[in-house]
Amino acid sequence: LFPYTTLFRSDFENISHELKDDLKVDYMRTAQITITDEETGEKKNSPVVIKDVSGGGTCFMTQESLRVGEIVEVVYDFTRDPLLVKLQIIRKENHINDVNYHYGCRMLPLNMVQESMIKQAIFRIDIENKRGKSKFEEDLEEDFEENLEGELL
């Protein structure tokens, strides 16, 4: 094996005919997905780490084992107003030496306003990523420094 080869087992669905030309941005944040049991209708929340988002979907990691084709819900809190989005799992990877599953998801259809909100937020995140820090991270840093100065005085 080559020293930089990543080994993984995965389930794939060929979606090349459905891919959009949407901007994809890195967005490492924690979130909760809601999983609905198809038989009982029972809803369960599960923690995830969102790796990236685009106007067409997202990629996240979780220890929860989900099926390709399964529908989950997530609240996008990076849009102007929080937005409940339904995602369909289209790719599942299990990397060796990683307890998390990595999922690629496509967004189920949204109305034009919701789609516009997501695209605006993604453009903002892309600019923040290129700047180095998000406004949220800068505000957190400022609050931390102010609290630290207050404790030292």
Side-chain angles (χ1 to χ4, degrees):
L1 292 187
F2 296 103
Y4 301 106
T5 302
T6 300
L7 298 175
F8 59 89
R9 291 177 292 136
S10 61
D11 296 322
F12 289 99
E13 175 184 337
N14 184 356
I15 58 152
S16 59
H17 62 284
E18 297 179 21
L19 292 178
K20 297 182 180 180
D21 293 325
D22 291 314
L23 173 64
K24 179 171 79 170
V25 295
D26 292 334
Y27 188 73
M28 294 294 280
R29 300 286 190 280
T30 58
Q32 294 281 325
I33 58 169
T34 302
I35 305 162
T36 304
D37 185 295
E38 293 175 359
E39 293 177 10
T40 65
E42 183 180 321
K43 293 184 181 275
K44 170 179 135 181
N45 288 331
S46 181
V48 300
V49 174
I50 296 176
K51 291 170 47 177
D52 59 56
V53 293
S54 75
T58 191
C59 182
F60 64 81
M61 300 179 294
T62 183
Q63 292 182 2
E64 193 75 38
S65 181
L66 304 169
R67 294 181 338 277
V68 169
E70 191 166 352
I71 307 292
V72 298
E73 296 176 332
V74 65
V75 174
Y76 279 170
D77 61 358
F78 56 84
T79 52
R80 181 179 63 233
D81 298 314
L83 184 62
L84 180 66
V85 176
K86 290 187 178 190
L87 303 167
Q88 182 178 34
I89 308 291
I90 58 173
R91 186 181 70 250
K92 176 181 182 179
E93 299 176 357
N94 184 353
H95 296 254
I96 292 182
N97 297 326
D98 189 350
V99 297
N100 290 307
Y101 294 96
H102 298 241
Y103 294 99
C105 306
R106 78 169 145 234
M107 262 186 274
L108 296 184
L110 303 167
N111 66 43
M112 288 180 8
V113 172
Q114 294 168 324
E115 198 171 302
S116 176
M117 285 172 55
I118 290 172
K119 287 182 179 182
Q120 287 174 8
I122 288 169
F123 286 129
R124 180 184 44 77
I125 292 167
D126 186 49
I127 290 167
E128 291 169 353
N129 286 349
K130 288 177 179 163
R131 261 193 16 218
K133 291 183 185 172
S134 70
K135 178 74 173 127
F136 175 76
E137 290 169 316
E138 289 175 357
D139 289 346
L140 275 179
E141 254 182 29
E142 285 177 22
D143 289 346
F144 177 76
E145 288 171 4
E146 287 173 9
N147 288 336
L148 186 61
E149 286 174 7
E151 291 176 11
L152 295 176
L153 295 177

